[in-house]
RNA sequence: GCCGGGGUGGCGGAACGGUAGACGCACGGGACUUAAAAUCCCGGGACUUCGGUCGUAUGGGUUCGAAUCCCAUCCCCGGUACCA
C-alpha cells in the first residue's frame, strides 16, 4: 500500500535535522527495555492506580489500529498518573485458550501451543510499536500451567460451595465449538464468535450457579462508575421480575403452577398455555385432541432443532381438550399449548390474560378466545378493547378487589392466594446458570475424576495442575466426534483420588471466560507460586481503577468476572465484592470512506466492488483531491454509494464507511503506520480523531495532519527555521508574560481533559500551543530562559502522547534522565489568568458587538462601554433600557423595549 | 417492539445555559521553486440591498439568552428479542 511520504524521507540541507520516527522509535524502545523503565513500583506509601485493558485474545491476524482505540488512551492515562506520583499497575497478558487458535491449529497442522506463543509475541511486538508502557515483567498467559493451575483451583473453590455442578438438559450446540452458554448465542441463532448456525441438543454439562448471585449482581452495580448502557445491559440480561406463583389445578387433579407479574389480572384469565415440552401436556390432553397435540409438540421440537430464524409474530397453538380451575373464581379455563411459552422460563406454563398482555391478546384474537377487561383504561366505557391495555387503572370485574390500583391489587390478590395456599410472592430471572463446559482441546482441564464408586471426585489441590496433555490430533471430525481429551487414553485413565480405583478424568475443558474471570487478580502478583494471588498485593491494587475494553463484552465477561469475584469472596479467599470500579468502552474504528478509480474495479450488481487491476486502485478523499490517500490492493473490496464523479477525466465512484475486515483488505495495521509515520503519529492521531468512546473512521490524511504537527513541534523545539516567515497575529505587551500565561492555560486544559478522558481536545490544546509557539518564537524570545522553561514543560505535557519524540527532544535539549520519569507540571491559576477579555455585548440576547475590556470590569463600566458602542446604539436608540444582565468576564445583555 | 447512544460546515469534530463551528482534514489564493513535491503565509457556514438576515434533524416550550434544559416528531447507530 502506498502512503504519503514520511516526513523523515524528505530531502533537507545538511545543517538541519528532521523528525525521523523510524530512527527514534527503535532507539528508545531498546533503551527503555534496557532501563526497565516501566517496571511496576515496589509497595510504597504513594497512592495506587490500576489501569487495565480487557484481556486480549491474541489471534493470527495481529492487532489493527482499531485495537489501539483501547490501548493508547489507557497508556496515556497510565503515563500521566505515573508522572503525577501514583504507583501505577498497567499490565498486559493473553487470554489465549480457545477456538480461534485451536481451529487454526487444525487447519495448519501445527500445535495450538506454538501458535499461542507466536501470536502473543506478535501482539506484544505490535503494542511496543505503539509505544505501550506495559510492565512486561508481569506478562501472563492463560494457557500456561502456572496460570491455569489456579483457574482449576478456583473451579474447586466454586465446586466446594456448590456453585459448580453438572446437569443434563437442552443446550445450544455449535457444530464447530460444541456447547455454548446462553450469552454466547446471537439473536439470529448463531454462535457469537464464529457466526455458525447452532442447534439445541440434550447434553450433560458443567455449570456455574451464577443465578444464586442474581440479586447481588444487580444491586452491586449501584456504586460503580460504569456506562449507563452497560449497567442497563447487565440489569436487562439478569432480567429480574417480581410477581407471584399461582397454583392452578387441572381437572385431572394435577397442579399447574404458573409465574405471573400481574396477579391483579387473575380474574381476566380466560385460558392457560403450557409450553409444548411441559411434562403435563400428555396428562391434560383429551383423547380426541391427542393427534393434533402430538403433531404440534413434534413440530415445536423440530423448530427448536432447526436454526432459529427470525421470529414471526404469528402465535400458534392447539387446544388440549383439558381444563384447569382458576383459584380466584373457580372458572374453568381451557388449556392450550403454544410455543410462545418457553419451558425454560418460570414454570413453563402461564395464565393467559388477553386483555392485559399483548401476546395473549394476539393469541386470543387468532383463536377466538374471550378477552375480559379487568383493569379499566382511562375513560373506559365498558366496551371490548381493541388492543391489550397494560397500563395502570382501577380493577374491575374482579369481585372484592374491584377499585384497587394495579400495585395494590398485585399485593392484595397475592396475599389472598397465600392465605389459601394457592400461591405466594415470587421472583423470576431471565438469567440462566453459566454453561462452562467445552468439548474441545485447547482449554483448562476441569479438575474432576469420575469414579464408579465415589462418583464425581475433585482432584486434590496438591495434585494441581491437571496438565493439559500434549495431543497431536485435536480435530474432533477425525476422532469420530469424540473430543480430543476423550481420545487421549493415557491421560483419561487416572486413579480415583478418594479410593484409588481406576477412574476417568473429566474430558470437558473450561470455556475461555473462566480464564478471564480472574486475570485481574493474577496481575497483582504474577510470580506468586504458592497461591493464585498474594492477598497483600490484591489489597494494594484492587479494585481496578479504570477498566477499558469493547462494549461487546457488556454482558458476558463483565457478568462472569463479577460473579467469580463474589464467589471467591464467599469462599473466603478474597476480600472484594466488585472488581472494576470504573469502566469505559472505546469506540470502534471503521475503514475510511472515499472515491476510487472505477476503471480498476470489478463492480457487481449489489453495489459492491473489488479491485480487479493487479496494480491496485487509487482512492481519493474527494474528487477534487490533489493526491490519493491510499492505493488499495488487488481484491480489496468496497461498498459503493452509487455517486460518480470525474477527476482529470478519470471516472471515480464513491464508497462508504465500512467495518475494517481482513477479507475486504481495508485493515490498517500498526506495523505499516509505525514504519512510515511512526508510533507517535499513530498514537496522537488515535487520540485526536474524536471522542474516545465514539465509533470513528480511520483517515490516512488525518494521520498525515498529525505527522505534520509533530514535525512542527520538532522544529520549533530545536529552534529550526521552517522555511516561512513567522508573523505575530497580535501585539503582546510582554511576550514573555503571555508565553507563561498560555503555558499555564495549556497545562490546565491538558490536565483537565485527561481527567475527563477527552484526549481529542487534549491534543487540540497541545496543537494550539504549538501554533502559538511558532507565532511568537522569534530569535529574541528563543534566547530567553523563559522560552527554555516553557519548552521543557511543553515536552512533559506532550510526553504521554508522543512518547518517542518527546524523549528524543528531551535528550537533545540537554536532559539526561528520561522525560517519562519527570513530574507532571502544575498550573498556577494566577499565572494562567487573562488580563483582558472579550466583552460580548448583546441587545435582547443577540450579539451586537465585542469589546476588549479588563477582566476586572464591573457591571457599571461594562454598561457604559456597551452603550458607547455605535453598533449597540443602532439597536438601543429610542428604546427604554429595561434590564441588564452582566456576567463578569463574559458578556453583558441589555434588554430594551 | 423494548433498552441505550447519537443527529452541528465539504469531512472528523469543538463549545460551565452566554462569541456556534476550537483543533485537524479537504479545498481555494499566495510565497519559495525551472517545475513539482514538501514547507511557510492567508482565506473559507449560507444568503445579503453590506444596514443586516438566517443557521446546530423537525415542530413547539422554558429563559434576558438554548447546539446545550423540557415536550412531541423524524432519522441513524449499537444491544436485545415471545422472559409471562
Amino acid at each position: 500500500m502506498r502512503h504519503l511520504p514520511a516526513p523523515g524521507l524528505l530531502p533537507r540541507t545538511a545543517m538541519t535535522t528532521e523528525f525521523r520516527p523510524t530512527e527514534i522509535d527503535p532507539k528508545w524502545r531498546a533503551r527503555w527495555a534496557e532501563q526497565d523503565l516501566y517496571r511496576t513500583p515496589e509497595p510504597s506509601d504513594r497512592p495506587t492506580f490500576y489501569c487495565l485493558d480487557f484481556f486480549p485474545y491474541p489471534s493470527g491476524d495481529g492487532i489493527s489500529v482499531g485495537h489501539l482505540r483501547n490501548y493508547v488512551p489507557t497508556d496515556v492515562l497510565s503515563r500521566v498518573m505515573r508522572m503525577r506520583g501514583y504507583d501505577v499497575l498497567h499490565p498486559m497478558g493473553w487470554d489465549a485458550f480457545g477456538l480461534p487458535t485451536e481451529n487454526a491449529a487444525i487447519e495448519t497442522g501445527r500445535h495450538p501451543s506454538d501458535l499461542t506463543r507466536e501470536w502473543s509475541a506478535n501482539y506484544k511486538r505490535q503494542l511496543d510499536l505503539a509505544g505501550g508502557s506495559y510492565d512486561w515483567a508481569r506478562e501472563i498467559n492463560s494457557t500456561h500451567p502456572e496460570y491455569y493451575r489456579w483457574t482449576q483451583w478456583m473451579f474447586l473453590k466454586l465446586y466446594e460451595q456448590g456453585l459448580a455442578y453438572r446437569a443434563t438438559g437442552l443446550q445450544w450446540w455449535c457444530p464447530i465449538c460444541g456447547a455454548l452458554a446462553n450469552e454466547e448465542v446471537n439473536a439470529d441463532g448463531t454462535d457469537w464468535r464464529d457466526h455458525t448456525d447452532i442447534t439445541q441438543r440434550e447434553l450433560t454439562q458443567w455449570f456455574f450457579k451464577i443465578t444464586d448471585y442474581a440479586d447481588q449482581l444487580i444491586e452491586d452495580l449501584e456504586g460503580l462508575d460504569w456506562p449507563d448502557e452497560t449497567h442497563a445491559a447487565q440489569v436487562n440480561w439478569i432480567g429480574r421480575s417480581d410477581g407471584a406463583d399461582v397454583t392452578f389445578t387441572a381437572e385431572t387433579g394435577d397442579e399447574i403452577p404458573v409465574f405471573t407479574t400481574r396477579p391483579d389480572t387473575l380474574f381476566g384469565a380466560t385460558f392457560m398455555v403450557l409450553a409444548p415440552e411441559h411434562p403435563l401436556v400428555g396428562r391434560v390432553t383429551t383423547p380426541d385432541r391427542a393427534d393434533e397435540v402430538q403433531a404440534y409438540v413434534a413440530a415445536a421440537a423440530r423448530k427448536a432443532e432447526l436454526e432459529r430464524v427470525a421470529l414471526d409474530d404469528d402465535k400458534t397453538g392447539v387446544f388440549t381438550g383439558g381444563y384447569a380451575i382458576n383459584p380466584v373464581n373457580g372458572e374453568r379455563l381451557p388449556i392450550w399449548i403454544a410455543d410462545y411459552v418457553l419451558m425454560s422460563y418460570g414454570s413453563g406454563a402461564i395464565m393467559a390474560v388477553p386483555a392485559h398482555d399483548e401476546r395473549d391478546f394476539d393469541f386470543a384474537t387468532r383463536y377466538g378466545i374471550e378477552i375480559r377487561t379487568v383493569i379499566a383504561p382511562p375513560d373506559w366505557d365498558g366496551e371490548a378493547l381493541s388492543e391489550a391495555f397494560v397500563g395502570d387503572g382501577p380493577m374491575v370485574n374482579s369481585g372484592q378487589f374491584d377499585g384497587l390500583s394495579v400495585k395494590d391489587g398485585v399485593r392484595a390478590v397475592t396475599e389472598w392466594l397465600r392465605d389459601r395456599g394457592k400461591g405466594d410472592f415470587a421472583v423470576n430471572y431471565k438469567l440462566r446458570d453459566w454453561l462452562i463446559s467445552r468439548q474441545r482441546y485447547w482449554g483448562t482441564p476441569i479438575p474432576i475424576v469420575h469414579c464408579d464408586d465415589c462418583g464425581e471426585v475433585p482432584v486434590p489441590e496438591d495434585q494441581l495442575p491437571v496438565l493439559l496433555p500434549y495431543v497431536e490430533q485435536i480435530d474432533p471430525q477425525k476422532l469420530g466426534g469424540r473430543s480430543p481429551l476423550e481420545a487421549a487414553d493415557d491421560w483419561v485413565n487416572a486413579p480415583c483420588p478418594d479410593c484409588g480405583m481406576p477412574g476417568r478424568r473429566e474430558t470437558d475443558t473450561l470455556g475461555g471466560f473462566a480464564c478471564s474471570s480472574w486475570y485481574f487478580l493474577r496481575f497483582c502478583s504474577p510470580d506468586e507460586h504458592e497461591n493464585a494471588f498474594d492477598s497483600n498485593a490484591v489489597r494494594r491494587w484492587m479494585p481496578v481503577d479504570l477498566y477499558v475494553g469493547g462494549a461487546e463484552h457488556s454482558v458476558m465477561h463483565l457478568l462472569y468476572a463479577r460473579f467469580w469475584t463474589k464467589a471467591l469472596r464467599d469462599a473466603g479467599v478474597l476480600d472484594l465484592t466488585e472488581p472494576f470500579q470504573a469502566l469505559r468502552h472505546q469506540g470502534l474504528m471503521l475503514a475510511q470512506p472515499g472515491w476510487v478509480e472505477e476503471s480498476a474495479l470489478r463492480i457487481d450488481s449489489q453495489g459492491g466492488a473489488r479491485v480487479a487491476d493487479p496494480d491496485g486502485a487509487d482512492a481519493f478523499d474527494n474528487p477534487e483531491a490533489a493526491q490519493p490517500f491510499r492505493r488499495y490492493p488487488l481484491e480489496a473490496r468496497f461498498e459503493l454509494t452509487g455517486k460518480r464523479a470525474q477527476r482529470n477525466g478519470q471516472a471515480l465512484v464513491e464508497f462508504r464507511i465500512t467495518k475494517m475486515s481482513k477479507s475486504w483488505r481495508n485493515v490498517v495495521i500498526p506495523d505499516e503506520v509505525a514504519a512510515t509515520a511512526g508510533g507517535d503519529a499513530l498514537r496522537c492521531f488515535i487520540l485526536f480523531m474524536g471522542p474516545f468512546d465514539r465509533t470513528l473512521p480511520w483517515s490516512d490524511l488525518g494521520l498525515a495532519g498529525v505527522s505534520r504537527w509533530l514535525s512542527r513541534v520538532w522544529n520549533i523545539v530545536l529552534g529550526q527555521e521552517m522555511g516561512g516567515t513567522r508573523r505575530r497575529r497580535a501585539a503582546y505587551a510582554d511576550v514573555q508574560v503571555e508565553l507563561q500565561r498560555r503555558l499555564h492555560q495549556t497545562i490546565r486544559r491538558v490536565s483537565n481533559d485527561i481527567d475527563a478522558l477527552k484526549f481529542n481536545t487534549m491534543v487540540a490544546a497541545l496543537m494550539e500551543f504549538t501554533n502559538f509557539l511558532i507565532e511568537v518564537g522569534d530569535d529574541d524570545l528563543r534566547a530567553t530562559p523563559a522560552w527554555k522553561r516553557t519548552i521543557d514543560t511543553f515536552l512533559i505535557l506532550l510526553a504521554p502522547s508522543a512518547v518517542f519524540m518527546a524523549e528524543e527532544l528531551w535528550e537533545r535539549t540537554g536532559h539526561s534522565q528520561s522525560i517519562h520519569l519527570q513530574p507532571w507540571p502544575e498550573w498556577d491559576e494566577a499565572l494562567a489568568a487573562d488580563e483582558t477579555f472579550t466583552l460580548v455585548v448583546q441587545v435582547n440576547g443577540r450579539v451586537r458587538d465585542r469589546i476588549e475590556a479588563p477582566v476586572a470590569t464591573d457591571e457599571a463600566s461594562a454598561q457604559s462601554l456597551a452603550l458607547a458602542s455605535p453598533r449597540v446604539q443602532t439597536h438601543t436608540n429610542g428604546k427604554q433600557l429595561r434590564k441588564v444582565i452582566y456576567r463578569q468576564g463574559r458578556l453583558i445583555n441589555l434588554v430594551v423595549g
Side-chain angles (χ1 to χ4, degrees):
Chain A
M1 290 183 206
R2 194 164 81 199
H3 266 277
L4 295 179
L9 302 177
L10 305 172
R12 283 285 182 143
T13 59
M15 287 309 289
T16 56
T17 59
E18 23 354 286
F19 174 42
R20 295 178 195 262
T22 51
E23 292 172 13
I24 294 171
D25 292 10
K27 166 184 163 184
W28 289 107
R29 268 198 297 275
R31 203 174 291 180
W32 294 333
E34 195 181 297
Q35 295 170 346
D36 211 4
L37 192 68
Y38 302 120
R39 187 57 158 273
T40 310
E42 294 303 314
S44 75
D45 53 5
R46 286 184 293 270
T48 62
F49 188 76
Y50 189 174
C51 184
L52 185 64
D53 304 302
F54 281 16
F55 206 26
Y57 192 100
S59 80
D61 296 335
I63 64 173
S64 75
V65 290
H67 293 80
L68 298 176
R69 297 287 313 275
N70 182 344
Y71 303 131
V72 170
T74 51
D75 191 66
V76 170
L77 191 65
S78 297
R79 288 168 176 276
V80 170
M81 294 306 274
R82 277 189 210 109
M83 294 168 100
R84 281 176 172 167
Y86 284 75
D87 283 350
V88 171
L89 178 57
H90 182 46
M92 181 50 78
W94 320 110
D95 182 16
F97 270 141
L99 281 160
T101 309
E102 186 165 356
N103 291 338
I106 291 169
E107 276 169 35
T108 59
R110 305 190 55 206
H111 197 268
S113 60
D114 294 328
L115 296 181
T116 293
R117 193 173 52 251
E118 288 167 21
W119 292 354
S120 52
N122 188 44
Y123 262 52
K124 181 176 171 181
R125 183 189 59 79
Q126 288 182 301
L127 290 172
D128 282 342
L129 287 179
S133 63
Y134 297 105
D135 176 4
W136 290 117
R138 289 185 180 241
E139 179 180 1
I140 61 177
N141 187 317
S142 67
T143 68
H144 291 173
E146 61 267 34
Y147 185 90
Y148 70 70
R149 167 184 183 177
W150 301 111
T151 309
Q152 292 173 339
W153 179 80
M154 289 175 183
F155 174 91
L156 295 177
K157 290 292 151 197
L158 268 60
Y159 185 81
E160 285 165 16
Q161 296 179 85
L163 294 174
Y165 67 94
R166 273 205 308 172
T168 303
L170 273 184
Q171 293 304 329
W172 291 111
W173 176 266
C174 168
I176 296 170
C177 320
L180 298 177
N182 291 317
E183 289 87 348
E184 294 170 311
V185 178
N186 295 323
D188 61 355
T190 57
D191 181 315
W192 76 288
R193 203 193 274 276
D194 58 27
H195 294 278
T196 36
D197 290 335
I198 58 175
T199 57
Q200 288 204 307
R201 279 194 185 181
E202 185 84 11
L203 296 164
T204 299
Q205 307 277 353
W206 285 94
F207 293 86
F208 288 138
K209 212 154 186 273
I210 192 172
T211 50
D212 272 10
Y213 287 80
D215 280 333
Q216 285 186 50
L217 288 168
I218 295 172
E219 289 158 13
D220 294 341
L221 284 169
E222 217 44 60
L224 303 179
D225 175 12
W226 281 28
D228 290 345
E229 54 182 302
T230 314
H231 187 119
Q234 297 243 320
V235 171
N236 291 342
W237 188 267
I238 296 165
R240 179 184 163 116
S241 291
D242 287 83
D245 283 332
V246 184
T247 307
F248 287 71
T249 308
E251 287 184 332
T252 55
D254 297 288
E255 290 197 336
I256 307 176
V258 305
F259 173 75
T260 176
T261 55
R262 298 294 303 276
D264 58 307
T265 62
L266 203 42
F267 287 85
T270 52
F271 60 107
M272 290 190 73
V273 187
L274 307 183
E277 310 86 0
H278 196 283
L280 290 177
V281 169
R283 295 266 304 162
V284 300
T285 301
T286 54
D288 58 313
R289 312 291 308 170
D291 288 349
E292 204 181 335
V293 168
Q294 266 173 25
Y296 188 83
V297 170
R302 208 160 42 241
K303 198 163 152 189
E305 278 178 29
L306 291 169
E307 62 193 83
R308 274 205 319 184
V309 283
L311 299 164
D312 54 56
D313 286 349
D314 287 345
K315 292 178 178 41
T316 61
V318 293
F319 177 45
T320 62
Y323 288 84
I325 303 304
N326 187 337
V328 291
N329 56 12
E331 279 188 24
R332 294 174 82 224
L333 302 178
I335 303 174
W336 290 64
I337 62 171
D339 63 4
Y340 80 90
V341 173
L342 309 174
M343 193 59 224
S344 54
Y345 185 79
S347 63
I350 62 161
M351 67 173 205
V353 185
H356 305 292
D357 182 283
E358 284 167 18
R359 295 154 302 177
D360 298 346
F361 187 95
D362 290 348
F363 193 84
T365 305
R366 182 180 175 118
Y367 291 103
I369 303 171
E370 185 194 351
I371 297 169
R372 187 190 304 162
T373 307
V374 290
I375 304 290
D379 306 321
W380 185 54
D381 53 10
E383 282 181 10
L385 300 176
S386 59
E387 58 181 6
F389 173 68
V390 297
D392 197 359
M395 290 174 68
V396 294
N397 296 325
S398 298
Q400 72 270 35
F401 300 103
D402 278 359
L404 293 179
S405 69
V406 166
K407 189 164 165 254
D408 293 341
V410 165
R411 193 177 57 245
V413 173
T414 308
E415 284 169 354
W416 186 92
L417 288 166
R418 186 179 59 193
D419 292 346
R420 282 154 188 77
K422 293 289 190 184
D424 205 344
F425 293 97
V427 177
N428 251 288
Y429 301 91
K430 267 166 46 172
L431 180 69
R432 294 296 122 73
D433 277 341
W434 169 12
L435 172 74
I436 193 63
S437 280
R438 292 301 119 91
Q439 292 70 43
R440 295 293 296 251
Y441 170 68
W442 195 232
T444 302
I446 294 176
I448 293 285
V449 174
H450 299 282
C451 169
D452 285 344
D453 292 334
C454 312
E456 233 167 53
V457 182
V459 174
E461 285 180 24
D462 60 11
Q463 291 175 30
L464 298 181
V466 175
L467 285 172
L468 183 68
Y470 190 91
V471 170
E472 297 279 0
Q473 182 52 265
I474 59 171
D475 187 347
Q477 315 250 337
K478 294 190 175 147
L479 293 165
R482 287 198 301 171
S483 87
L485 290 183
E486 278 180 285
D489 291 333
D490 291 350
W491 181 83
V492 168
N493 294 311
C496 168
D498 275 2
C499 68
M501 297 297 285
R504 288 178 61 79
R505 289 195 188 279
E506 171 61 57
T507 56
D508 283 354
T509 49
L510 293 173
F513 282 113
C515 308
S516 57
S517 288
W518 73 280
Y519 77 105
F520 42 90
L521 301 173
R522 187 68 185 170
F523 273 137
C524 298
S525 52
D527 297 323
E528 171 67 44
H529 294 301
E530 304 303 315
N531 294 291
F533 47 82
D534 173 66
S535 295
N536 287 325
V538 166
R539 204 170 301 122
R540 177 163 180 244
W541 294 111
M542 292 293 293
V544 174
D545 293 290
L546 179 67
Y547 195 35
V548 177
E552 69 275 14
H553 287 104
S554 291
V555 172
M556 290 185 279
H557 161 60
L558 292 168
L559 203 56
Y560 296 150
R562 295 178 62 221
F563 157 69
W564 193 285
T565 299
K566 292 170 196 298
L568 291 180
R569 175 200 62 192
D570 292 344
V573 300
L574 181 63
D575 181 22
L576 186 71
T577 289
E578 284 290 336
F580 314 123
Q581 182 51 42
L583 172 75
R584 296 290 182 272
H585 301 299
Q586 79 277 10
L588 300 175
M589 183 90 83
L590 302 176
Q592 65 184 319
W595 297 77
V596 61
E597 307 168 275
E598 187 176 24
S599 60
L601 301 180
R602 185 174 70 239
I603 297 176
D604 68 31
S605 52
Q606 264 59 258
R610 277 181 183 274
V611 175
D613 186 333
D615 294 334
D618 278 333
F620 300 85
D621 197 49
N622 59 57
E624 290 77 44
Q627 292 291 314
F629 62 78
R630 179 170 280 252
R631 189 171 189 84
Y632 282 93
L634 184 65
E635 288 302 308
R637 217 169 133 190
F638 302 97
E639 192 178 307
L640 304 181
T641 63
K643 282 195 194 165
R644 309 165 58 83
Q646 292 286 317
R647 192 192 108 93
N648 302 337
Q650 175 186 34
L652 297 181
V653 288
E654 191 185 41
F655 61 97
R656 56 172 58 106
I657 296 178
T658 52
K659 287 184 178 163
M660 281 195 184
S661 151
K662 199 184 175 194
S663 64
W664 284 46
R665 292 170 204 257
N666 60 5
V667 178
V668 182
I669 61 173
D671 307 61
E672 65 176 278
V673 182
T676 51
D680 289 331
L682 175 57
R683 290 172 69 92
C684 291
F685 176 58
I686 284 169
L687 296 169
F688 179 64
M689 64 194 303
F692 117 99
D693 57 356
R694 194 176 301 185
T695 293
L696 295 165
W698 176 258
S699 165
D700 283 330
L701 291 167
L703 173 74
V706 170
S707 283
R708 279 197 288 275
W709 166 57
L710 291 175
S711 288
R712 287 199 303 274
V713 171
W714 178 269
N715 288 326
I716 188 71
V717 169
L718 295 180
Q720 295 172 164
E721 292 300 338
M722 284 153 284
T725 341
R726 288 200 190 96
R727 190 170 306 165
R728 292 205 183 159
R729 284 159 234 233
Y732 299 104
D734 183 334
V735 74
Q736 291 195 36
V737 169
E738 186 64 21
L739 182 66
Q740 180 171 255
R741 174 159 39 236
R742 298 289 278 262
L743 176 66
H744 280 258
Q745 290 175 347
T746 302
I747 298 169
R748 182 170 61 192
R749 281 177 67 185
V750 168
S751 302
N752 290 338
D753 282 350
I754 286 170
D755 288 335
L757 305 182
K758 290 165 68 173
F759 302 101
N760 54 330
T761 50
M762 173 202 72
V763 174
L766 292 170
M767 288 174 167
E768 283 180 60
F769 191 65
T770 307
N771 292 342
F772 172 75
L773 290 176
I774 290 170
E775 178 195 323
V776 300
D778 58 18
D779 290 345
D780 290 345
L781 186 61
R782 290 206 312 253
T784 63
W787 177 266
K788 164 72 176 153
R789 284 197 305 273
T790 300
I791 293 295
D792 281 356
T793 305
F794 172 57
L795 287 176
I796 295 174
L797 294 177
L798 190 67
S801 307
V803 299
F804 301 109
M805 189 183 81
E807 184 77 304
E808 176 71 18
L809 290 174
W810 189 249
E811 186 186 55
R812 290 193 186 210
T813 52
H815 301 87
S816 52
Q817 191 194 42
S818 171
I819 194 170
H820 300 297
L821 300 175
Q822 305 307 312
W824 189 252
E826 305 277 339
W827 73 91
D828 181 329
E829 288 289 353
L831 296 178
D834 281 311
E835 284 168 6
T836 63
F837 74 104
T838 306
L839 174 67
V840 173
V841 184
Q842 295 183 340
V843 178
N844 290 344
R846 308 180 68 118
V847 179
R848 297 304 178 186
D849 203 358
R850 300 182 175 98
I851 302 166
E852 204 62 17
V855 166
T857 304
D858 63 12
E859 178 166 346
S861 335
Q863 190 174 325
S864 18
L865 274 173
L867 289 170
S869 158
R871 302 167 55 110
V872 171
Q873 285 163 3
T874 319
H875 296 92
T876 53
N877 277 347
K879 289 174 183 163
Q880 176 117 41
L881 185 61
R882 300 195 183 279
K883 195 174 173 184
V884 177
I885 289 121
Y886 182 56
R887 293 284 173 270
Q888 176 107 22
R890 284 189 168 274
L891 61 68
I892 187 166
N893 186 9
L894 308 174
V895 184
V896 298

